[in-house]
Amino acid sequence: MPILPENKSRYPKNWKQIRADILKRADNKCEFCGIENYAIRENGSKVVLTVAHLDHCPENCDFNNLRALCQKCHNTYDAPHRAETRKSKRELKLKEGNG
């Protein structure tokens, strides 16, 4: 996943090197499904590996917290967290009378 501009300051200055190290550790393959970086899926889409923070915290760049994932696996892994975040934001808006 691309780093959103509003989150860029949450990543360490050496993020590019950390990312390269994680991809190397993963042998340039998704650590969940094993598909290779830049492979072409059956639907014609190109795989681009991303690095996922398992705890969803960009500040935590411990290698045990990072995984090289294809977009499909990364989105699947993040889906429950995104749903919970959306739910929390909705509840907060309702509580504040903005919803």
Side-chain angles (χ1 to χ4, degrees):
M1 312 275 137
I3 297 172
L4 298 173
E6 62 267 24
N7 288 330
K8 192 168 176 123
S9 66
R10 297 179 68 190
Y11 287 78
K13 295 202 182 310
N14 65 336
W15 175 249
K16 286 185 179 181
Q17 183 59 54
I18 292 170
R19 181 182 186 285
D21 291 345
I22 296 301
L23 293 178
K24 183 177 180 180
R25 176 190 73 189
D27 195 28
N28 224 24
K29 295 177 185 169
C30 176
E31 291 184 87
F32 284 7
C33 74
I35 196 165
E36 288 191 38
N37 204 12
Y38 305 121
I40 304 298
R41 292 193 185 272
E42 291 141 12
N43 67 3
S45 67
K46 183 178 178 182
V47 172
V48 177
L49 293 182
T50 60
V51 176
H53 290 81
L54 299 180
D55 68 354
H56 307 287
C57 182
E59 293 85 359
N60 182 1
C61 292
D62 184 283
F63 278 26
N64 292 322
N65 184 50
L66 302 174
R67 294 293 181 275
L69 300 180
C70 67
Q71 306 99 309
K72 183 177 178 183
C73 288
H74 198 158
N75 282 327
T76 300
Y77 182 82
D78 282 354
H81 176 72
R82 282 196 210 108
E84 185 59 38
T85 300
R86 282 192 305 271
K87 181 181 175 192
S88 296
K89 286 181 180 179
R90 274 194 310 273
E91 289 173 352
L92 183 61
K93 278 186 177 183
L94 288 172
K95 195 175 192 180
E96 293 174 346
N98 296 328

